[in-house]
Amino acid sequence: MSDIVGCFNERAQKLLELHLASGFRKYFIWFKGKLQGSHVALIQEGKDLVNYALINAVAIRKILKKYDKVHFSKQGQAFKSQAQSMHIEILQSPWLCELMAFHINLRETKVKSGMTPASFEGCYLTFNDGKPFLSCELFDSVKLDIDLTCSICLDTVFDPVSLTCGHIFCYMCACSAASVSIVNGLKAAEPKEKCPLCREAGVYEGFVHLDELSILLRRSCSEYWEQRLQMERVERVRQAKEHWESQCQAFVGV
């Protein structure tokens, strides 16, 4: 399973890197051969990756359920729980979340431009009692819902990041939970620091910035996004000022 998830993550990361790149960097990546073909090929590979993830998830679920039924055991369920704890279940991948947001962004862009959307139609952003969810219809009527409410500030995730355990938080909230400043960033977090939700340690070093999701939420919640942006600018300036003041004091020996 780890090889399957690793292959999926690598391909999805390369695809989204090309989509989000701009200017000379985009052409440089293109000519390096990370993705061959036109913009249509970019969309098609995104669709293939989402389908790959969903088919794999449903197949694993059916295999484990069948195993438990045939052998009158709970080993299949135990294996699934172990896979989740080891972060080798494909539905936990932050790149699946990014691909879902990628398709919604493409679809909305094409609708506004009057073009026929060619993206995956099963992904959409919904709001339930004001709380956002990233949803995707799986095969066999199975539905995947990703809660986009930060469990720390209890608001829609702003500048979202996914920890290696799969939980999503605002970047500033994650920094606070990891006991690091925004200036130093999450990579400066100690290995002992734990996820606020599952309490697993060492989940900050391999965090993923969810750029496609950030674009989607900025477009869908523009008023809220602008308010949070203003608030975070003030906090970032305050933390930066405190950081450099402490650095200057340490330098002069105060």
Side-chain angles (χ1 to χ4, degrees):
M1 285 183 68
S2 59
D3 290 339
I4 293 174
V5 177
C7 176
F8 171 79
N9 288 344
E10 182 180 357
R11 289 187 60 186
Q13 186 175 3
K14 288 180 179 180
L15 172 74
L16 294 169
E17 183 182 16
L18 176 61
H19 180 241
L20 292 170
S22 60
F24 177 77
R25 175 171 170 75
K26 185 167 187 174
Y27 288 103
F28 178 73
I29 295 173
W30 190 280
F31 286 115
K32 277 185 69 177
K34 287 196 173 183
L35 183 67
Q36 299 296 328
S38 63
H39 186 68
V40 175
L42 181 79
I43 297 173
Q44 185 58 49
E45 180 162 3
K47 291 171 66 176
D48 291 343
L49 283 170
V50 172
N51 282 322
Y52 172 82
L54 303 187
I55 291 172
N56 177 271
V58 172
I60 292 295
R61 179 177 63 88
K62 286 187 173 183
I63 290 171
L64 296 179
K65 186 176 180 180
K66 184 70 172 180
Y67 181 90
D68 282 349
K69 184 177 180 180
V70 171
H71 296 278
F72 303 99
S73 72
K74 294 184 178 180
Q75 292 184 7
Q77 186 61 38
F79 177 81
K80 182 179 179 181
S81 299
Q82 184 181 10
Q84 290 175 340
S85 66
M86 295 172 64
H87 316 306
I88 57 174
E89 187 183 42
I90 203 163
L91 294 184
Q92 289 180 295
S93 171
W95 298 109
L96 177 58
C97 176
E98 278 287 83
L99 280 172
M100 291 165 64
F102 161 77
H103 284 297
I104 299 172
N105 288 334
L106 276 180
R107 185 168 65 238
E108 292 184 357
T109 300
K110 286 180 174 293
V111 168
K112 288 182 179 180
S113 63
M115 298 173 63
T116 303
S119 55
F120 185 76
E121 295 296 329
C123 303
Y124 45 91
L125 179 68
T126 60
F127 291 87
N128 186 4
D129 293 330
K131 295 184 178 181
F133 290 85
L134 195 59
S135 302
C136 189
E137 295 288 349
L138 309 188
F139 300 95
D140 293 345
S141 301
V142 178
K143 186 179 179 182
L144 172 65
D145 287 316
I146 300 176
D147 189 353
L148 300 180
T149 299
C150 176
S151 60
I152 298 176
C153 66
L154 302 180
D155 218 331
T156 300
V157 287
F158 179 84
D159 192 15
V161 293
S162 175
L163 308 185
T164 56
C165 58
H167 293 122
I168 299 174
F169 302 96
C170 306
Y171 183 75
M172 185 175 287
C173 292
C175 286
S176 176
S179 302
V180 295
S181 69
I182 297 177
V183 178
N184 293 324
L186 287 178
K187 290 185 178 180
E190 295 288 336
K192 65 179 181 179
E193 297 296 339
K194 300 178 180 179
C195 169
L197 273 180
C198 63
R199 308 306 299 165
E200 182 177 346
V203 295
Y204 292 96
E205 184 178 0
F207 80 96
V208 175
H209 234 123
L210 303 178
D211 295 321
E212 288 283 356
L213 179 59
S214 186
I215 293 171
L216 174 61
L217 291 173
R218 183 169 66 241
R219 181 189 295 118
S220 303
C221 314
S222 56
E223 186 175 342
Y224 161 76
W225 203 264
E226 186 61 31
Q227 291 175 353
R228 280 293 297 264
L229 183 62
Q230 296 300 327
M231 292 171 56
E232 295 223 355
R233 278 176 179 168
V234 174
E235 180 62 20
R236 285 173 183 266
V237 169
R238 185 189 69 80
Q239 289 196 26
K241 182 179 179 181
E242 289 181 355
H243 172 79
W244 291 113
E245 283 180 350
S246 65
Q247 292 294 311
C248 290
Q249 290 174 357
F251 180 75
V252 298
V254 176

